[in-house]
Amino acid sequence: MSLKDQIDLQKLPRHIAVIMDGNGRWAKGKGKLRVFGHHNGVLSVRDIVESAGELGIEYLTLYTFSTENWNRPKFEVTAIMELLISTLNKEIAKLVKNNVRLNAIGDLKALPGKCHQELEHAISKTAGNTGLVLTLALSYSSRGEILQAAKNIAAKVQSGELNPADIDEQLFEDNLYTGGMPNPELLIRTSGEYRISNYLLWQIAYAELYFTTKLWPDFRREDLYEAILDYQKRERRFGMTSEQVN
């Protein structure tokens, strides 16, 4: 039986988040520039998006570019932004065909003008799709997101629009970039690193964490299937006992 056939489609995580790590190391291992790794990482994105959609995953959120990544060499940052533009142009027809709705979170205004423009165009073109919601975390910082949510709530309290006594977890979640989305049940990180790296810190409070030593350009649908199968073997108790959840 194939890995895909072993997956229980009734127990799929609704939302999978991915830290796509290892593009640069993959390229250096082949004696190439880091940018070569980013280009090949796009092939992995395409494969994972297609396979997630085929399975019936509802939400897939990819850590595409962090606020810390702006500190990388200018050549690499420029190449990544140009790659994002070209990839959006190439993939938009396929996203529409596969009923994928594109979304983006982060400090999007920090993106170069052309990049922001192409991103908004792609989001608009796929807005009517009803399948997988593919979210790109761009110029993203979870601490920044949480800080901005706190500022938004504070402003509403100051204006009298909100009573402090009404602030609860749901209201706070609604003020995050991911407001309206379910929290990830599964977080995957590639490349053998065991860090969260300022990614969806609030949202992954009860996510199952899955780490693999594979570098992102080598991560393909079979690897996604393995991660989901591992997830389905785990017992999600949310602070309760095994007897309570079974």
Side-chain angles (χ1 to χ4, degrees):
M1 184 183 294
S2 69
L3 286 175
K4 184 178 181 181
D5 290 336
Q6 294 176 47
I7 294 174
D8 185 345
L9 299 181
Q10 303 304 312
K11 296 182 179 180
L12 288 173
R14 291 185 66 197
H15 186 174
I16 298 176
V18 184
I19 300 175
M20 306 180 294
D21 196 20
N23 288 337
R25 277 169 283 166
W26 185 87
K28 288 178 67 176
K30 297 181 180 300
K32 304 284 188 178
L33 294 176
R34 292 175 56 87
V35 174
F36 181 72
H38 295 305
H39 278 270
N40 280 271
V42 171
L43 303 179
S44 294
V45 170
R46 182 184 299 149
D47 201 39
I48 298 310
V49 170
E50 289 182 358
S51 53
E54 290 169 2
L55 283 173
I57 302 297
E58 297 178 46
Y59 296 86
L60 176 66
T61 301
L62 306 179
Y63 204 3
T64 309
F65 192 85
S66 71
T67 54
E68 291 82 7
N69 289 153
W70 290 115
N71 296 318
R72 290 189 175 186
K74 185 176 180 180
F75 168 78
E76 183 176 352
V77 171
T78 300
I80 291 173
M81 292 298 121
E82 291 176 350
L83 176 61
L84 178 60
I85 293 172
S86 64
T87 300
L88 288 171
N89 287 330
K90 291 177 182 176
E91 299 296 323
I92 189 168
K94 185 172 291 186
L95 293 177
V96 172
K97 179 182 177 181
N98 292 335
N99 198 28
V100 175
R101 178 160 63 90
L102 185 65
N103 182 39
I105 58 174
D107 182 13
L108 304 182
K109 293 181 180 179
L111 298 173
K114 179 65 174 175
C115 186
H116 193 192
Q117 180 182 343
E118 291 298 330
L119 178 63
E120 290 298 325
H121 174 69
I123 289 174
S124 176
K125 289 285 288 185
T126 64
N129 292 348
T130 58
L132 172 71
V133 177
L134 171 62
T135 300
L136 306 181
L138 288 162
S139 189
Y140 176 85
S141 159
S142 186
R143 287 182 172 181
E145 174 187 29
I146 292 171
L147 181 60
Q148 186 59 53
K151 288 180 178 179
N152 292 344
I153 293 171
K156 292 176 183 177
V157 170
Q158 188 175 39
S159 68
E161 181 183 347
L162 181 65
N163 188 322
D166 294 329
I167 300 173
D168 57 14
E169 287 190 11
Q170 187 58 60
L171 185 141
F172 196 87
E173 285 194 6
D174 291 342
N175 279 272
L176 295 172
Y177 295 143
T178 53
M181 296 168 58
N183 289 326
E185 292 100 335
L186 173 62
L187 170 70
I188 299 170
R189 179 168 189 152
T190 60
S191 88
E193 302 289 355
Y194 296 86
R195 296 187 300 274
I196 302 304
S197 296
N198 198 14
Y199 186 48
L200 301 175
L201 299 177
W202 173 284
Q203 296 89 335
I204 63 168
Y206 275 100
E208 298 296 328
L209 308 184
Y210 180 86
F211 300 99
T212 174
T213 57
K214 281 203 171 181
L215 302 177
W216 178 248
D218 290 327
F219 193 88
R220 290 294 191 269
R221 64 180 61 214
E222 294 296 311
D223 302 296
L224 176 65
Y225 298 155
E226 286 187 2
I228 293 173
L229 285 169
D230 183 84
Y231 164 85
Q232 293 186 338
K233 293 174 184 175
R234 302 188 190 185
E235 184 179 68
R236 291 172 58 71
R237 297 190 297 274
F238 300 97
M240 296 183 287
T241 66
S242 296
E243 290 75 18
Q244 287 177 297
V245 299
N246 292 321

